[in-house]
Amino acid sequence: MKKLCLMVLALILLNSCTKNFEEINTNPNQITDKMLEQDFNLVGSSFSVMLFNLMGHQVEEDLCYDNWMGYMGTPTPFVGNVNNTTYYLRWIDSYWNRIYGSVMSPSKQVIQLAQEKNLPLFGDWAKLVRILAISKLTALHGPVIYSNYGTSGLGSIKYDKESDLYNNMFTQLDQIEANLKANTSYVGFIKFDPSYKGNINSWLKLLNSVRLRLAMRLVKVSPAIAKTQGEKALSDPVGLITTNAENFLVPLNGNVMPVATISFDWNDTRMGATMESFMVGLKDGRIAKYFNEVTDASLVSDHPAYKYKGIRGGAFINAKDDRVSYSTVNTDFKSVQKRRGFTASETAFLKAEAALRGWAGAGDAKTNYEDGVRLSFADWGAAGVDAYLADATSKPINYVDPKDSKNNFTPLSTITVAWDAGDSDELKLEKIITQKYLATFTNTLEAWVDFRRTGYPKIPHVAKNDSSPDWGIIAPNQWIKRLVFVPAERTGNATAVAEATTFLSSGKDDIASRLWWDTPATSNF
């Protein structure tokens, strides 16, 4: 199947030969465009590849926001232990290249072909996949190339200002939604859709859920638009992703889950110390579904009942072998065939926050919060959710690194799990976002978004801060804010990058510049 997909993509990209050349050099055993037109193959064959590339791998995820948010930590002192995890950028462009090379480019082909072949719904589907991709990429860099993507004959391809980009995405979601709703019985996607088997209503639920996710990003910078878009998603009769059976699962296309490859084959990632602090401290039953226990009891002498040991983000590291014995991810990740792109638990936590903010249709904050936890436990197959939700005493624990005390930390958060109606809205929000963080394992970009816009969950600073004027300085009491524009764009599209830099609130293309929705306001309400 992988070979067939590659052949299909090659044919689409290289179909520029002359008529005579085709007549002379046609291979009778080769798949042609005419053959591919059968059953919509020509427009549908790219979707599994595009969906797969919505997510990243080691450089895009594990050595960036997986580490920055404390989900994972590396035992490996890459580049003399001065790298992305310690706030000195070595890897910038991998996800940018993935999105433009493996999502935006093939989706452009699909949209053009869908128009030519009078298959407009395939064009709408490709546009929705584009929004899924660009909404992730903009969360890393801020301004990105979207509305001007694919334009030719220009010396410079302009970036979208973030405020324009979000308005554009919301408008496109309206258009896609209208077209899909008018064709809910359409079956053309079935053979090309590894996520929802061509079910249009399922894609509409994902669309509504994505709208709610994007609306929530804007609550502090543009609260009126956030409320309007959020309430539109909440009130739509098709609904949201609310059960685990409706989760948006992204195909691995026969590949091994990246975090398993990095953990087991390369020994370059281990459990994060922040996850150890929260999950051991809160007695979280999901910990055994995420990670493996250590075999060396001396590593967990501070909590022998929970045999899990993590590595702090931006840790002081001398030798890789020092921490290879720390907790790997759960062995089950070696065999999974799909990964989580949007879950019912995320929807529940979004609704819980929306309820705190008084959005119509959001329901009750406590109910949504507890539903989010229950859905997550069920999704991961973890036991003990009732006791977990009732626990009003357990708190995050101190982290101890047996190999180097410079990596130790005292948790900044003192929250418990149990909901308390008497808590302030800020404390309630901290609980919601902390549980959302714990539920979002393996889809960690959204947690980095939440952290920047709300300050929750309360996570430790990097132990070793190597930020510098080269890429921007992160103050000791702060955290990384974004990735800079990629080097190829800085040199090959310099005029557009210079303009995009002015779109950033600081006017500087560095890692300390806040994105548009990441306001410095200390209160979330």
Side-chain angles (χ1 to χ4, degrees), residues 6 70 77 89 155 218 276 291 319 357 363 390 491:
L6 289 172
L89 297 186
L218 311 187
E276 177 188 339
F291 304 106
R357 298 185 181 283
T491 57

Side-chain angles (χ1 to χ4, degrees), residues 140-142 162 448 452 471-474 479-484 501 504-516 518:
L140 272 70
H141 299 281
E162 288 176 87
W448 188 35
R452 285 175 287 169
W471 300 112
I473 295 175
I474 302 298
W479 295 262
I480 189 169
K481 306 299 183 186
R482 63 183 286 270
L483 284 180
V484 300
T501 300
L504 298 167
S505 58
S506 68
K508 297 179 181 178
D509 178 20
D510 65 19
I511 63 174
S513 294
R514 295 175 180 269
L515 300 191
W516 173 58
D518 176 12

Side-chain angles (χ1 to χ4, degrees), residues 408-454:
N408 294 356
F409 66 80
T410 299
L412 299 176
S413 177
T414 59
I415 64 166
T416 61
V417 176
W419 188 266
D420 185 342
D423 286 339
S424 66
D425 282 349
E426 280 290 345
L427 184 52
K428 289 175 181 175
L429 181 62
E430 182 185 354
K431 289 190 175 186
I432 291 167
I433 299 299
T434 300
Q435 286 302 322
K436 187 179 177 186
Y437 163 80
L438 294 172
T440 314
F441 187 59
T442 70
N443 187 20
T444 57
L445 177 58
E446 290 308 313
W448 188 35
V449 171
D450 286 337
F451 174 69
R452 285 175 287 169
R453 72 176 178 86
T454 68

Side-chain angles (χ1 to χ4, degrees), residues 182-219:
N183 295 276
T184 55
S185 60
Y186 185 70
V187 295
F189 299 168
I190 290 177
K191 66 182 294 185
F192 311 109
D193 181 3
S195 296
Y196 286 130
K197 306 302 181 188
N199 188 295
I200 300 297
N201 277 326
S202 294
W203 282 100
L204 283 167
K205 288 183 179 183
L206 173 62
L207 184 153
N208 287 331
S209 302
V210 169
R211 187 192 296 276
L212 183 58
R213 174 196 277 176
L214 298 183
M216 198 61 73
R217 288 186 187 178
L218 311 187
V219 289

Side-chain angles (χ1 to χ4, degrees), residues 157-198:
I157 303 177
K158 290 179 175 288
Y159 283 59
D160 289 71
K161 186 184 297 186
E162 288 176 87
S163 55
D164 294 340
L165 175 65
Y166 279 88
N167 285 334
N168 192 354
M169 288 192 290
F170 287 134
T171 297
Q172 289 193 339
L173 287 175
D174 290 341
Q175 296 165 348
I176 296 165
E177 180 181 20
N179 293 339
L180 292 182
K181 280 185 174 180
N183 295 276
T184 55
S185 60
Y186 185 70
V187 295
F189 299 168
I190 290 177
K191 66 182 294 185
F192 311 109
D193 181 3
S195 296
Y196 286 130
K197 306 302 181 188

Side-chain angles (χ1 to χ4, degrees), residues 205 240-248 342-345 347 375:
K205 288 183 179 183
L240 304 156
I241 295 172
T242 56
T243 69
N244 286 327
E246 298 167 337
N247 287 351
F248 174 54
F342 205 118
T343 64
S345 63
T347 302
L375 284 161

Side-chain angles (χ1 to χ4, degrees), residues 279-280 282-290 306 308 377 380-385 388:
M279 299 192 88
V280 172
L282 299 178
K283 302 179 175 60
D284 195 316
R286 291 167 291 188
I287 193 170
K289 303 298 180 179
Y290 295 176
Y306 290 86
Y308 301 91
F377 268 67
W380 290 97
V385 69
Y388 183 75

Side-chain angles (χ1 to χ4, degrees), residues 65-279:
Y65 39 85
D66 273 4
N67 261 261
W68 298 334
M69 290 304 299
Y71 287 101
M72 307 299 296
T74 181
T76 308
F78 291 107
V79 201
N81 200 36
V82 179
N83 53 62
N84 285 35
T85 70
T86 67
Y87 293 172
Y88 189 91
L89 297 186
R90 303 290 186 180
W91 312 288
I92 302 167
D93 56 6
S94 292
Y95 194 62
W96 179 279
N97 294 338
R98 181 185 293 272
I99 292 302
Y100 285 107
S102 299
V103 181
M104 293 297 286
S105 178
S107 67
K108 180 175 181 287
Q109 297 282 340
V110 170
I111 292 165
Q112 290 174 341
L113 286 166
Q115 185 175 11
E116 293 170 7
K117 305 299 180 183
N118 195 27
L119 295 169
L121 290 185
F122 276 91
D124 290 316
W125 190 17
K127 291 173 184 176
L128 179 54
V129 174
R130 276 188 165 191
I131 291 172
L132 291 171
I134 288 297
S135 66
K136 288 178 174 290
L137 189 66
T138 184
L140 272 70
H141 299 281
V144 293
I145 298 169
Y146 186 61
S147 61
N148 291 309
Y149 176 78
T151 54
S152 59
L154 298 177
S156 180
I157 303 177
K158 290 179 175 288
Y159 283 59
D160 289 71
K161 186 184 297 186
E162 288 176 87
S163 55
D164 294 340
L165 175 65
Y166 279 88
N167 285 334
N168 192 354
M169 288 192 290
F170 287 134
T171 297
Q172 289 193 339
L173 287 175
D174 290 341
Q175 296 165 348
I176 296 165
E177 180 181 20
N179 293 339
L180 292 182
K181 280 185 174 180
N183 295 276
T184 55
S185 60
Y186 185 70
V187 295
F189 299 168
I190 290 177
K191 66 182 294 185
F192 311 109
D193 181 3
S195 296
Y196 286 130
K197 306 302 181 188
N199 188 295
I200 300 297
N201 277 326
S202 294
W203 282 100
L204 283 167
K205 288 183 179 183
L206 173 62
L207 184 153
N208 287 331
S209 302
V210 169
R211 187 192 296 276
L212 183 58
R213 174 196 277 176
L214 298 183
M216 198 61 73
R217 288 186 187 178
L218 311 187
V219 289
K220 291 167 75 174
V221 70
S222 188
I225 291 176
K227 187 173 187 288
T228 296
Q229 293 295 328
E231 291 183 344
K232 181 183 292 188
L234 291 163
S235 65
D236 190 90
V238 174
L240 304 156
I241 295 172
T242 56
T243 69
N244 286 327
E246 298 167 337
N247 287 351
F248 174 54
L249 303 178
V250 176
L252 291 174
N253 294 348
N255 295 286
V256 176
M257 181 79 170
V259 74
T261 298
I262 305 164
S263 186
F264 296 109
D265 295 354
W266 304 340
N267 278 328
D268 279 339
T269 198
R270 290 294 184 265
M271 177 188 193
T274 306
M275 290 294 271
E276 177 188 339
S277 175
F278 275 112
M279 299 192 88

